[in-house]
Amino acid sequence: MKTVAVVTVGAVAAEVLAEIELCLGRHFGLESQRLAPLGEPEFAWEPARQQYSVIAIMRELLRFCPPQAVRLLALTEKDLFIPMLSFVFGQAQLNGTLAIVSLARLRQEFYQLPANPPLLLARACKETVHEMGHTFGLTHCLERKCPMSLSTTIQQVDGKGENFCANCTIVLRESLQLLRSPDMLRTEEQP
């Protein structure tokens, strides 16, 4: 069985981890393997921005993917950025191994609103599906309800659904089929 290794960067609540593991099975048909949590990513702290560099964290995470895992998903409570954007909800390697999701701006408390645990879990699942979708070759989708649509605000996250649109479903199925039967790719490439 193909597995996704799940790791936290710093502390993440157990109920969030459990929901994300269910989400991975529901949307990708993959089992998850929880890794020991990583420490606080002080090496990625950017004092001028008061945020953490997702690029620095991803560089470090690449060393932790177990050989039997097909993907590595990291979760963190840290507020992440890339140089060209003020923040990111997550980041992933397109057709790669690694995806990371930040819970910081998915929490109602970030917007000075009362905590809403069910809403946090729903948002975390959508962003996990989005970032994991990138690792399976999916790019941003124009369908606003598709989890692969681009989210630059929390309202856009809330406007998305959890299920892929028809076009993204086709691409994902092909990618998952190749993952499960890598010999198919070699057969198709032969003359």
Side-chain angles (χ1 to χ4, degrees), residues 18-34:
E19 179 63 24
I20 294 306
E21 289 168 344
L22 290 173
C23 178
L24 289 170
R26 196 166 53 241
H27 294 283
F28 300 96
L30 298 170
E31 289 187 2
S32 57
Q33 171 195 5
R34 199 177 297 186

Side-chain angles (χ1 to χ4, degrees), residues 1-5 24-25 27-32 65-72 95-98 132-137 170-186 188:
M1 182 65 158
K2 306 291 184 184
T3 62
V4 177
L24 289 170
H27 294 283
F28 300 96
L30 298 170
E31 289 187 2
S32 57
C65 190
Q68 72 277 13
V70 295
R71 297 289 185 274
L72 175 64
N95 281 314
T97 305
L98 180 59
M132 288 294 294
H134 285 316
T135 70
F136 288 103
I170 291 169
V171 174
L172 179 64
R173 279 188 187 150
E174 290 174 359
S175 186
L176 287 170
Q177 191 172 8
L178 288 174
L179 180 71
R180 292 183 176 111
S181 305
D183 292 339
M184 286 178 58
L185 186 59
R186 275 179 263 165
E188 291 174 2

Side-chain angles (χ1 to χ4, degrees), residues 58 64 67 77 81 91 123 130 132 138 156-157 171 186:
M58 289 178 78
F64 292 96
E77 291 283 353
F81 78 94
Q91 188 78 8
R123 289 171 173 173
H130 180 95
M132 288 294 294
L138 296 172
Q156 289 171 325
V157 173
V171 174
R186 275 179 263 165

Side-chain angles (χ1 to χ4, degrees), residues 96-142:
T97 305
L98 180 59
I100 183 169
V101 172
S102 167
L103 303 172
R105 293 179 188 244
L106 300 179
R107 292 186 172 281
Q108 286 289 81
E109 301 93 307
F110 186 86
Y111 308 97
Q112 287 79 49
L113 296 170
N116 186 334
L119 184 58
L120 171 65
L121 295 179
R123 289 171 173 173
C125 187
K126 291 177 193 178
E127 288 309 298
T128 295
V129 169
H130 180 95
E131 298 305 340
M132 288 294 294
H134 285 316
T135 70
F136 288 103
L138 296 172
T139 56
H140 288 146
C141 181
L142 296 178

Side-chain angles (χ1 to χ4, degrees), residues 85-101:
L85 295 175
S86 58
F87 75 94
V88 290
F89 291 117
Q91 188 78 8
Q93 297 174 309
L94 186 63
N95 281 314
T97 305
L98 180 59
I100 183 169
V101 172

Side-chain angles (χ1 to χ4, degrees), residues 8-82:
T8 65
V9 180
V12 171
E15 60 268 20
V16 174
L17 274 170
E19 179 63 24
I20 294 306
E21 289 168 344
L22 290 173
C23 178
L24 289 170
R26 196 166 53 241
H27 294 283
F28 300 96
L30 298 170
E31 289 187 2
S32 57
Q33 171 195 5
R34 199 177 297 186
L35 304 180
L38 302 179
E40 298 294 327
E42 298 311 323
F43 59 90
W45 176 247
E46 181 62 50
R49 296 183 65 133
Q50 298 289 296
Q51 292 174 299
Y52 291 82
S53 165
V54 71
I55 294 168
I57 294 173
M58 289 178 78
R59 208 176 286 132
E60 185 72 10
L61 284 169
L62 285 172
R63 300 181 318 121
F64 292 96
C65 190
Q68 72 277 13
V70 295
R71 297 289 185 274
L72 175 64
L73 171 66
L75 299 169
T76 187
E77 291 283 353
K78 304 304 180 192
D79 189 23
L80 304 176
F81 78 94
I82 58 174

